């Protein structure tokens, strides 16, 4: 990348950081110090604002750059990610959004603890939520280091390390000073930037092919070297039975995991009513659906305009497909248009990373303070003490993420995102659905459900080919691979549901019919909701 590209990108980075810090300062001055203000932004956001924030929380740099790059390299099979991420929101809309808003206050554990013994349930759900958040967060931090350093032209260790540290410091500032209000507005700004940038590139791709999508697809197929197979399923995932089961496992994790992601569930508490939560999801589905449709155009556009070979030569996993496409659409290297478009893509990617890590950090600090701390020391201090712990927890989570991000900066961490979704689908979703819909569910069933999904998901990944046994694994020189699939969802998700059922049917504790009836009425009508 030329010096002009780096200068322009750095300038836009600086502008975005200045804007977000101004938002954080404004939010910090208007906070009242209450738990509701810190965790939920005072529940003052409209459905449209929260819908944009949800979209900003969900549309990560992996979606903007990774999915487009994957489509540019493998064609049709790359679209499976777009479909999985989008279909997941139907589960959220029909099964989760309104009920969670009515039953909880700030976290997943609130929903489960409404009809169970609080302490064991909160510890289990809080542990799972923090695990998912940290896995997701480390993936974003490492991605920030490699992506921003690559876009700025710095491929050395120092450039990546300082990028990880810088992103970590900023996310701690956003969360500890601004809370949910600042985080939400940062996500709204990021969503507008991301959708605007993606729409601009999509329009330019379509103009390049005079609006003829058929011509776009066939040009991409011709340049791919695979012909019509590029537009048909099977190019990447059509191998042996292991590859096919891996696709099913990944699909299950993506479709079911979204409804269990702590930072997504936390967004439902920022609106005043359950109806507003449902309308927020409808806004989010429209925005996210439009975004993923545009990533498909960008992926095939990169294959047609740049060519998969050039994309692969720049970055083996295709993460630079969109920046390369922007450079070409703007007029090529050295042109003013190319420089401007490249800088916009770089700034949007950076904004995406900052917004996502802020949301995840807030969710994890909320789980630490509201679930773990409140369960272990709930008689020592009130809500203000809990908020103070959450601010300290944000610093601790930030330091942990920076440390792990620095240790893992040379590794391929794509599996961490899939693992985060798999853990969320295995540990969080079963206990959530059982608590909402099963009258006979007990405390033992809830605890077993969480750990019965969490432990197998993590253990199976450790024993999978992503950690050892293959040249592309994390530890390529050792081999303790026992599990053939790269994503554990196909096994760990059913185990989570099975463990919840087994814990319930073997429990000596009788289910509390009165509390279930109260929870059911509250979840369906909103009567008594906070």
């Amino acid at each position: 990348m030329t010096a002009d590209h780096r200068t322009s990108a750095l300038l836009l980075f600086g502008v975005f950081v200045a804007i977000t810090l101004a938002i954080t300062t404004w939010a910090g001055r208007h906070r009242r110090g209450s738990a509701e203000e810190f965790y939920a932004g005072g529940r003052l956001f409209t459905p449209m604002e929260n819908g944009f924030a949800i979209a900003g929380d969900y549309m990560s740099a992996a979606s903007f750059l990774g999915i487009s790059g994957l489509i540019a390299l493998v064609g049709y099979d790359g679209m499976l990610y777009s479909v999985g991420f989008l279909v997941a929101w139907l589960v959220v809309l029909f099964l989760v959004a309104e009920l969670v808003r009515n039953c909880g206050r700030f976290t997943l554990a609130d929903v489960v603890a409404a009809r169970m013994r609080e302490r064991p349930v909160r510890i289990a759900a809080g542990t799972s939520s923090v695990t998912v958040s940290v896995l997701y967060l480390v993936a974003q931090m490492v991605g920030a280091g490699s992506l921003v350093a690559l876009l700025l032209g710095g491929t050395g260790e120092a450039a990546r390390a300082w990028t990880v540290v810088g992103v970590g410091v900023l996310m701690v500032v956003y969360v500890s000073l601004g809370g949910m209000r600042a985080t939400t507005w940062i996500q709204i700004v990021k969503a507008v930037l991301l959708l605007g940038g993606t729409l601009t590139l999509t329009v330019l791709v379509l103009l390049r092919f005079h609006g003829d999508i058929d011509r776009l697809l066939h040009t991409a197929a011709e340049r791919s070297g695979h012909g019509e197979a590029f537009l048909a399923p099977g190019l990447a995932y059509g191998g042996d039975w292991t590859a096919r089961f891996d696709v099913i496992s990944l699909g299950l994790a993506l479709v079911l995991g979204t409804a269990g992601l702590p930072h997504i569930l936390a967004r439902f508490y920022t609106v005043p009513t359950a109806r507003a939560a449902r309308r927020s999801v409808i806004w989010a589905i429209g925005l996210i659906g439009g975004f993923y449709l545009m990533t498909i155009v960008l992926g095939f556009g990169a294959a047609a305009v740049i060519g998969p070979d050039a994309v692969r030569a720049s970055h083996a996993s295709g993460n630079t497909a969109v920046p390369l496409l922007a450079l070409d659409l703007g007029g090529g290297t050295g042109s003013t248009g190319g420089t401007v478009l490249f800088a916009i893509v770089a700034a949007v990617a950076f904004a995406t990373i900052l917004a996502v890590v802020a949301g995840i950090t807030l969710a994890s600090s909320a789980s630490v303070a509201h679930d773990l701390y409140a369960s272990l020391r709930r008689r020592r201090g009130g809500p203000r003490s809990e908020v103070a712990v959450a601010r300290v927890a944000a610093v601790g989570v930030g330091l942990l993420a920076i440390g792990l991000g620095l240790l893992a900066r040379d590794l391929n961490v794509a599996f961490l995102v899939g693992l985060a979704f798999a853990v969320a689908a295995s540990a969080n979703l079963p206990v959530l659905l059982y608590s909402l819909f099963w009258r006979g569910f007990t405390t033992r069933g809830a605890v077993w459900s969480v750990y019965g999904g969490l432990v197998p998901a993590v253990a199976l990944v450790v024993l999978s080919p992503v950690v050892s046994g293959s040249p592309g694994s994390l530890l390529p020189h050792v081999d303790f691979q026992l599990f053939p699939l790269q994503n554990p969802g196909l096994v760990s998700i059913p185990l989570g549901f099975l463990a919840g059922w087994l814990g319930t049917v073997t429990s000596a504790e009788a289910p509390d019919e009165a509390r279930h009836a109260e929870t059911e009425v509250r979840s369906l009508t909103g009567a008594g909701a906070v």
Side-chain angles (χ1 to χ4, degrees), residues 53 142 323 331:
V142 176

Side-chain angles (χ1 to χ4, degrees), residues 39 59 62 80 169 222 288 290 296 305 308 314 318 339 367 381 451 462 470:
Y39 294 136
M59 298 182 301
L80 294 176
V169 170
E222 290 172 7
I288 293 169
I296 295 173
V305 175
S314 175
T339 300
S367 293
Y451 293 126
V462 171
S470 65

Side-chain angles (χ1 to χ4, degrees), residues 326-353:
L327 198 60
D328 190 283
L329 293 173
T333 303
S335 67
T336 301
T339 300
V340 170
L341 273 182
F342 172 83
I344 289 174
V345 168
V348 167
F350 189 64
T352 296
I353 291 167

Side-chain angles (χ1 to χ4, degrees), residues 46-396:
T46 66
M48 184 181 74
E49 291 169 345
N50 197 43
F52 269 88
I54 291 172
D57 221 352
Y58 193 71
M59 298 182 301
S60 67
S63 299
F64 181 49
L65 300 175
I67 293 177
S68 299
L70 194 60
I71 293 173
L73 296 182
V74 300
Y76 181 95
D77 282 1
M79 293 195 301
L80 294 176
Y81 281 84
S82 294
V83 173
F85 283 130
L86 181 56
V87 170
W89 282 97
L90 297 178
V91 178
V92 177
L93 176 63
F94 292 117
L95 292 181
V96 172
E98 287 190 52
L99 305 183
V100 166
R101 173 61 189 85
N102 283 334
C103 288
R105 291 184 65 214
F106 306 124
T107 65
L108 164 69
D110 289 336
V111 180
V112 183
R115 48 176 295 211
M116 310 290 176
R117 295 200 314 275
E118 284 203 30
R119 187 168 183 173
V121 167
R122 285 194 180 277
I123 291 174
T127 301
S128 175
S129 295
V130 172
T131 302
V132 173
S133 297
V134 169
L135 289 172
Y136 210 122
L137 193 56
V138 171
Q140 296 295 325
M141 295 292 288
V142 176
S146 58
L147 173 64
V148 176
L150 178 65
L151 291 175
L152 294 178
T155 56
E157 297 296 318
R160 284 188 283 176
W162 281 111
T163 301
V164 170
V165 173
V167 171
V169 170
L170 283 172
M171 75 183 186
V172 170
V173 170
Y174 295 150
V175 173
S176 60
L177 297 183
M180 178 59 84
R181 184 177 299 216
T183 300
T184 298
W185 282 110
I186 290 169
Q187 287 161 346
I188 291 172
V189 172
K190 167 262 176 124
V192 172
L193 288 175
L194 181 60
L195 289 168
T198 307
L199 179 61
T200 300
L201 292 179
T202 301
V203 170
L204 291 175
V205 169
L206 294 177
L207 288 176
R208 175 69 66 92
F209 292 90
H210 306 289
D212 190 342
I213 297 179
D214 188 62
R215 180 184 167 196
L216 165 65
L217 295 176
H218 282 90
T219 304
E222 290 172 7
R223 296 203 63 178
S224 70
H226 298 285
E228 294 300 315
F230 192 71
L231 306 178
L235 190 60
Y237 305 118
D240 56 13
W241 65 270
T242 303
R244 296 178 183 182
F245 278 120
D246 240 333
V247 175
I248 298 173
S249 188
L250 177 64
L252 283 174
L254 296 180
V255 171
L256 299 179
T258 299
L261 291 176
H263 62 290
I264 297 298
L265 294 176
R267 293 243 50 93
F268 300 138
Y269 301 124
T270 63
V271 290
T273 64
R275 183 170 181 266
R278 185 178 183 87
R279 290 173 60 195
S280 297
V281 175
I282 293 173
W283 270 99
I285 288 176
L287 296 170
I288 293 169
F291 169 75
Y292 281 117
L293 287 176
M294 290 188 287
T295 62
I296 295 173
V297 175
L298 295 185
F300 284 111
V305 175
I306 306 298
D309 292 338
V311 171
R312 194 176 285 109
S314 175
H315 196 280
S317 63
N319 285 341
T320 56
V322 173
L324 291 175
L325 178 63
L327 198 60
D328 190 283
L329 293 173
T333 303
S335 67
T336 301
T339 300
V340 170
L341 273 182
F342 172 83
I344 289 174
V345 168
V348 167
F350 189 64
T352 296
I353 291 167
L354 287 181
V356 172
V357 297
I360 300 169
T361 304
L362 181 60
S364 56
S365 64
S367 293
V368 170
H370 185 64
D371 298 330
L372 300 179
Y373 172 81
S375 295
L376 298 175
R377 306 182 65 182
R378 61 186 171 208
R379 294 183 180 178
R380 303 184 184 182
R384 289 184 181 274
S385 172
E386 186 178 302
V387 171
V389 172
R391 297 185 196 281
V392 174
V395 177

Side-chain angles (χ1 to χ4, degrees), residues 502-522:
L502 189 61
T504 297
V505 299
T506 61
S507 174
E509 171 192 4
D512 192 327
E513 296 285 344
R515 292 182 71 179
H516 172 266
E518 179 184 344
T519 302
E520 186 175 39
V521 171
R522 179 175 169 181

